Structure formats: C-alpha cells, structure tokens
Amino acid sequence: ARTRNSSEYTSEIVKMKTAILASLVASAAAFAPAKQATTSTSLNAFENELGAQPPLGFFDPLGLVADGDQEKFDRLRYVEIKHGRICMLGVVGYLVNAAGIYLPGNIDYAGTKFSDLGYGWDASFAVPVAGALQVLLFVGFLELAVMKDITGGEFVGDFRNGALDFGWDSFDEETKLNKRAIELNQGRAAQMGMLALMVHDKLGNVADFFPGN
C-alpha cells in the first residue's frame, strides 16, 4: 500500500475544511433570505391594516400572523372586535350597577330584587340558577343566530345583515375607516378595563377607583 506523505495529508485537510466552509456558506445563503422574505411578507401584508397605528404600528410580538396568512388575520380580527364589543357592554354594565342603577322589580318569585344582587363577582354568584340559565340561553341565541355575518358583510365584524344601518351607507370611506378605528381602539381599552375591574373587584378595592370614595 502507498503511504501518504505529510504534504498530501495537509492538502486533504485543507480540501475538507474548504468543503465544510462552502457548505456552511451555502446553508446561510439558503436560509437567511427565506427568513427575511417571511418577515417582509408579514409586514407588507398587515402594516397598513386598520388598527396598525402609532405609537406601536403593526404589533405582533407573538408572531401570530408572521406567515402573512390573510385568513388567519381576518379570524383574529373578528375575535378581537367581538371581544371588544362584549367588554364595552360589560364595562358599562358594571359601572351602571356600581352607580346604584338596576332594573326595576324582582329577579325571582321569592321576591329577590335586582338591586339586592349588588355588582361585580358578588352579583354573578347571587343570580338564581334559573336566571343564570336564561342569561346563558340568551347569549347562546345571540352567538348562534344574531351576532354573525350571514349575508356577507362589508368588512370583518359587519353584522348588519341588511337589517340595521343607522346611516352607515351614507358615510364616505374616510369616515367609515375612522369610525371602525374608534370602535377597535375602544374595544381594546374596554378589554383591559374589564380585566382591571374583575381583578380589583376580587381584591376588594374596586370602589376606591370610583368618584366620592
């Protein structure tokens, strides 16, 4: 067998290192543009969407729509709008009851008045079982039959379904976008507000935030 000398051995090592280096460079070249393209696609797809505004602009720290999937974005926007609307009603309802304003009459045949329930967590647990079931059924009816896009709305979250308008079609496009942005921002604020009310109600110091306390 032929014995390799030191120069041949050194030459093979150099060739091997060169091949490894070339493969690493090729891998970097292959993966780096793909990552940039994904990020660019996501930003270009949604940076001008409604709700992407100063000071944060397009804000997706968890990368939920980093793949630029429009269908996924629309689904998340739908959920955001719906939860925002629910929380806006929730905050108003909480504050109205906290101000001492209740429905007249009794909530059950035992003579329990609506005003006897209080507000917040205590009121939630004080509602009789039959009353809680009625609320659950009503919410289920709204979810399944009313608060949904049946006819194909003008935008995500448009539940008019040809029945309600309130002058919407008389607005120009700029006014429509402005009103939708207002609803979106108010809904975001209400979600934070509802969470804060629930936490401080549970802590027992929510009354400290109300005027006169």
Side-chain angles (χ1 to χ4, degrees):
R2 177 174 174 270
T3 304
R4 293 181 298 178
N5 57 38
S6 59
S7 61
E8 289 177 331
Y9 184 75
T10 302
S11 176
E12 287 187 6
I13 291 178
V14 171
K15 289 180 181 179
M16 184 179 296
K17 289 183 176 180
T18 303
I20 294 173
L21 179 62
S23 66
L24 291 174
V25 172
S27 298
F31 285 104
K35 183 177 181 180
Q36 293 172 358
T38 299
T39 304
S40 176
T41 299
S42 174
L43 291 176
N44 291 337
F46 306 123
E47 65 180 357
N48 295 320
E49 286 283 351
L50 187 71
Q53 55 198 36
L56 296 178
F58 175 63
F59 186 64
D60 182 22
L62 299 180
L64 297 178
V65 290
D67 56 1
D69 189 332
Q70 183 68 47
E71 184 177 351
K72 183 193 297 183
F73 178 88
D74 289 343
R75 171 60 184 167
L76 292 173
R77 172 52 52 85
Y78 170 84
V79 172
E80 179 184 24
I81 291 175
K82 185 166 97 170
H83 287 180
R85 290 169 177 172
I86 292 171
C87 286
M88 283 189 279
L89 290 172
V91 169
V92 171
Y94 189 105
L95 296 178
V96 166
N97 285 162
I101 303 173
Y102 295 89
L103 292 173
N106 302 330
I107 194 173
D108 60 17
Y109 292 116
T112 305
K113 298 180 180 179
F114 285 99
S115 57
D116 294 335
L117 300 178
Y119 60 89
W121 287 108
D122 291 340
S124 299
F125 293 111
V127 175
V129 175
L133 290 175
Q134 291 178 54
V135 172
L136 181 63
L137 289 174
F138 180 64
V139 171
F141 168 73
L142 293 177
E143 176 72 17
L144 297 175
V146 180
M147 305 305 293
K148 59 189 304 183
D149 183 1
I150 299 174
T151 61
E154 182 179 330
F155 51 87
V156 176
D158 181 6
F159 297 157
R160 292 175 297 159
N161 296 316
L164 301 173
D165 185 73
F166 300 113
W168 178 261
D169 289 333
S170 65
F171 299 141
D172 57 43
E173 290 303 316
E174 183 177 356
T175 302
K176 288 181 178 180
L177 285 174
N178 184 53
K179 289 185 176 295
R180 287 174 58 199
I182 290 173
E183 180 193 30
L184 192 59
N185 284 333
Q186 297 286 14
R188 290 168 175 173
Q191 290 176 73
M192 299 300 294
M194 192 73 248
L195 178 61
L197 286 172
M198 293 168 65
V199 169
H200 285 284
D201 186 286
K202 198 66 176 176
L203 292 174
N205 63 347
V206 70
D208 296 339
F209 297 96
F210 299 151
N213 293 308

